[in-house]
Structure formats: C-alpha cells, structure tokens
C-alpha cells in the first residue's frame, strides 16, 4: 500500500486523506489520531462521506505509520495478528481515556 498523509493538524481542524484500498476502491478518511504501541507508531482513520460524516458507526482503519527521512508519511498494513491485537488494545485504551476525560 502506498498511502501518504499530511502532518496532524491542531485539534480544531480535521484532516482527511484518501486511501487506496486493496480492492482498488478509494475511501475518504478523517485522521483520528496517531499513537504508539510497542515502540511503533500507528494511525487511526475514520471513513467519512463527502460531507465529512461517519460512514459506518464503529468502523476505524488502523495502519502502521512511518515517516521517512524527509518527514513524508507512509502507511503500512498490519499483517501480524499479535501486532494487530496489541494495537487494538492500545487504541481501545486511548478511547477509554478520552471517555473518562469527557465525563
């Protein structure tokens, strides 16, 4: 997969990226967050429609997030089940922290 994104904006701005999916279709996604799990960076993306509205409740795409020496980001699929489980756990912990902070 050869996806590029822009740097993360301030909290009051939403940045969207277009992903080319494995089946050849494209998905417009809002960047939710970049986070670390087990020493690697990951990005969570929310699929949205042309109006920026969430497409399917509960659907989030998570990819390994890597920046090259020039600072250009690249996304990689997570193919290892153990890595995916660790990343999902970390992401769910982040969601719980946000929910707790909002209460």
């Amino acid at each position: 997969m050869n996806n590029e994104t822009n740097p993360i904006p301030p909290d009051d701005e939403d940045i969207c990226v277009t992903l080319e999916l494995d089946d050849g279709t494209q998905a417009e996604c809002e960047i939710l967050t970049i986070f670390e799990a087990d020493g690697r960076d990951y990005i969570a993306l929310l699929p949205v429609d042309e109006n920026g509205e969430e497409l399917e409740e509960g659907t989030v795409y998570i990819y390994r997030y890597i920046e090259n020496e020039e600072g250009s980001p690249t996304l990689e699929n997570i193919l290892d089940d153990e890595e995916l489980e660790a990343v999902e756990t970390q992401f769910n912990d982040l969601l719980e922290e946000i929910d707790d902070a909002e209460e």
Side-chain angles (χ1 to χ4, degrees), residues 32-33 35 44 58 60 62 87-103:
L32 294 177
T33 189
F35 62 98
V60 175
I62 299 177
V87 170
E88 287 175 340
T89 298
Q90 180 64 30
F91 181 69
N92 288 331
D93 289 348
L94 288 172
L95 291 178
E96 285 180 25
E97 288 177 21
I98 292 168
D99 285 343
D100 290 345
E102 290 178 352
E103 291 179 1

Side-chain angles (χ1 to χ4, degrees), residues 65-77:
Y65 178 84
I66 301 168
E67 288 187 12
N68 65 18
E69 293 174 3
E70 292 82 36
S72 297
T74 301
L75 307 183
E76 293 182 349
N77 289 322

Side-chain angles (χ1 to χ4, degrees), residues 30-46:
E30 179 183 320
I31 298 173
L32 294 177
T33 189
I34 294 176
F35 62 98
E36 184 178 321
D38 292 334
R40 290 183 160 168
D41 289 331
Y42 297 89
I43 188 168
L45 303 169
L46 177 69

